[in-house]
Amino acid sequence: MNTHVSPPSDAPLSSDDAVIRADEFDGVAASVEAAVLGKSDVVRLALVAMLTQGHILLEDVPGTGKTTLARAIAASADGVWRRIQFTPDLLPSDISGVTIFHQGTREFEFRPGPVFANVVIADEINRASPKTQSALLEVMEERAVTVDGVRHGVPSPFLVVATQNPVEMSGTYRLPEAQLDRFLMRLTLGYADPASELAIIRGDRLVTPEDLEPTVDAERMAAMRRDARRVFVHDSVYEYVLRVAHATRDHPELSVGLSTRSTVAMARTARMLALVSGRPFVEPEDVKLLAQPVWAHRLVLSPEASVGGRTGADVLDGILRETPAPSPGAAGVPAVR
């Protein structure tokens, strides 16, 4: 496996370095896309989230490949992955682990749960009770769990890929805002395009997640995160992010707008998106492209807007249209040829 050694973290990122990282990323994306046909944009966004150390919520109707994408992402990382099937009778200890009394040593011993893995697939997360869902809150934010007053760290890298069905609400529990805010991105696969669906039906070029070989390891992911921190962001882009965030906080159709956590998440993710796109700088278009997956699920509609059938995505679209974005030249960023 070829590796690229990054210069010191305070050195500006060169265009050549960005292109090398983009080529590496393209190799990982191509591997995952072999198992998830026709969903290149979603695959790339999901991998950007993984590299940024953010968690992913895959929301769609059954049969569109949510679990397949989650398993393919897990297979692409050179680490341990575990799948948790969320059900109404699942207990918090079934996720985090439990302390038991060991008869042989006459001491209490911690038995780690499935959350102690590099990639955790939380399948149908909204089918578990709020108490069980909350067991993921601490570990998603702190990358550690506390059992019987003792803190246990999970492996690094650590990624939660959760799936949920937004249509079948019988026997499900809505994810609270505090938990939704822990997800860096909410992504929707949608149905495959006709050509890809025909290939899937025929079995052409169909690769299962189990067939995939790891294409990125912890060391390379850490190196890409270091390079992403060296990506240039002009103040006008930061100010654009703030203008959009402030507009959501004052919008009459929203009860809760974007938090500071969400603006920090946008800056971090935009840097990674620019890097894997082969650019050493962030463009305003990066923010626009990431706005829906990174921000829409964090918005809380007012009761009137909810009754009127509006969604957070609808409101965010309107805000983005009304908020002027800096041009590449005005932002001090060279225009892309």
Side-chain angles (χ1 to χ4, degrees), residues 181 240-251 254-264 266 287 291-292 294-300 312 316 319-320:
D181 200 38
Y240 175 54
V241 170
L242 280 179
R243 285 199 302 273
V244 175
H246 288 169
T248 66
R249 297 166 191 171
D250 300 328
H251 201 283
L254 296 175
S255 297
V256 178
L258 295 173
S259 65
T260 302
R261 174 191 286 163
S262 68
T263 56
V264 172
M266 173 59 75
V287 177
Q292 288 292 346
V294 174
W295 278 345
H297 65 287
R298 304 171 193 262
L299 300 174
V300 180
L316 184 57
I319 291 173
L320 290 170

Side-chain angles (χ1 to χ4, degrees), residues 249-293:
R249 297 166 191 171
D250 300 328
H251 201 283
E253 291 186 289
L254 296 175
S255 297
V256 178
L258 295 173
S259 65
T260 302
R261 174 191 286 163
S262 68
T263 56
V264 172
M266 173 59 75
R268 192 161 41 98
T269 312
R271 282 194 179 99
M272 183 60 74
L273 179 63
L275 177 68
V276 302
S277 300
R279 283 183 279 106
F281 54 85
V282 172
E283 293 183 328
E285 289 300 318
D286 294 326
V287 177
K288 292 181 181 180
L289 190 151
L290 292 169
Q292 288 292 346

Side-chain angles (χ1 to χ4, degrees), residues 181-309:
D181 200 38
R182 298 300 198 275
F183 289 100
L184 177 65
M185 290 188 193
R186 180 179 64 182
L187 300 173
T188 300
L189 280 166
Y191 294 110
D193 61 84
S196 297
E197 189 166 7
L198 182 60
I200 293 170
I201 295 171
R202 287 175 170 171
D204 297 344
R205 301 180 291 111
L206 196 58
V207 176
T208 66
E210 289 78 11
D211 296 329
L212 300 180
E213 295 291 333
T215 50
V216 63
D217 55 22
E219 182 180 351
R220 182 176 294 191
M221 284 190 278
M224 294 185 79
R225 285 193 295 273
R226 288 194 298 270
D227 278 351
R229 288 194 290 269
R230 298 163 52 218
V231 169
F232 175 75
V233 185
H234 193 271
D235 281 346
S236 63
V237 177
Y238 284 129
E239 290 164 2
Y240 175 54
V241 170
L242 280 179
R243 285 199 302 273
V244 175
H246 288 169
T248 66
R249 297 166 191 171
D250 300 328
H251 201 283
E253 291 186 289
L254 296 175
S255 297
V256 178
L258 295 173
S259 65
T260 302
R261 174 191 286 163
S262 68
T263 56
V264 172
M266 173 59 75
R268 192 161 41 98
T269 312
R271 282 194 179 99
M272 183 60 74
L273 179 63
L275 177 68
V276 302
S277 300
R279 283 183 279 106
F281 54 85
V282 172
E283 293 183 328
E285 289 300 318
D286 294 326
V287 177
K288 292 181 181 180
L289 190 151
L290 292 169
Q292 288 292 346
V294 174
W295 278 345
H297 65 287
R298 304 171 193 262
L299 300 174
V300 180
L301 291 172
S302 66
E304 296 79 10
S306 296
V307 171

Side-chain angles (χ1 to χ4, degrees), residues 1-235:
M1 182 182 293
N2 294 327
T3 58
H4 169 63
V5 179
S6 301
S9 59
D10 57 347
L13 185 71
S14 69
S15 297
D16 290 342
D17 288 341
V19 169
I20 290 172
R21 290 304 185 200
D23 288 343
E24 293 176 348
F25 178 83
D26 289 344
V28 182
S31 175
V32 176
E33 288 170 27
V36 187
L37 298 181
K39 296 298 175 184
S40 176
D41 291 344
V42 178
V43 166
R44 292 180 70 87
L45 284 173
L47 290 174
V48 165
M50 178 184 75
L51 293 170
T52 314
Q53 290 189 303
H55 306 295
I56 304 166
L57 178 63
L58 297 176
E59 187 177 84
D60 217 326
V61 297
T64 53
K66 299 187 300 296
T67 305
T68 299
L69 175 57
R71 290 166 56 204
I73 292 171
S76 71
D78 187 16
V80 177
W81 68 276
R82 295 286 184 269
R83 179 177 179 271
I84 308 172
Q85 181 63 53
F86 278 65
T87 56
D89 60 347
L90 191 72
L91 299 175
S93 58
D94 295 329
I95 297 173
S96 57
V98 64
T99 302
I100 63 172
F101 184 73
H102 195 281
Q103 292 285 356
T105 61
R106 310 293 294 177
E107 294 179 350
F108 286 96
E109 179 182 295
F110 176 64
R111 293 283 182 88
V115 77
F116 287 84
N118 298 110
V119 180
V120 178
I121 301 173
D123 212 5
E124 295 186 289
I125 188 174
N126 56 336
R127 293 204 174 275
S129 68
K131 182 178 181 180
T132 301
Q133 290 178 13
S134 68
L136 282 177
L137 283 175
E138 179 190 13
V139 70
M140 288 174 68
E141 182 68 15
E142 305 293 336
R143 286 174 165 72
V145 296
T146 303
V147 179
D148 294 333
V150 180
R151 186 178 174 89
H152 305 273
V154 295
S156 180
F158 177 73
L159 168 71
V160 172
V161 182
T163 72
Q164 72 170 354
N165 174 11
V167 177
E168 177 54 62
M169 291 294 128
S170 177
T172 65
Y173 301 85
R174 180 178 177 273
L175 295 182
E177 283 72 26
Q179 184 154 342
L180 283 172
D181 200 38
R182 298 300 198 275
F183 289 100
L184 177 65
M185 290 188 193
R186 180 179 64 182
L187 300 173
T188 300
L189 280 166
Y191 294 110
D193 61 84
S196 297
E197 189 166 7
L198 182 60
I200 293 170
I201 295 171
R202 287 175 170 171
D204 297 344
R205 301 180 291 111
L206 196 58
V207 176
T208 66
E210 289 78 11
D211 296 329
L212 300 180
E213 295 291 333
T215 50
V216 63
D217 55 22
E219 182 180 351
R220 182 176 294 191
M221 284 190 278
M224 294 185 79
R225 285 193 295 273
R226 288 194 298 270
D227 278 351
R229 288 194 290 269
R230 298 163 52 218
V231 169
F232 175 75
V233 185
H234 193 271
D235 281 346

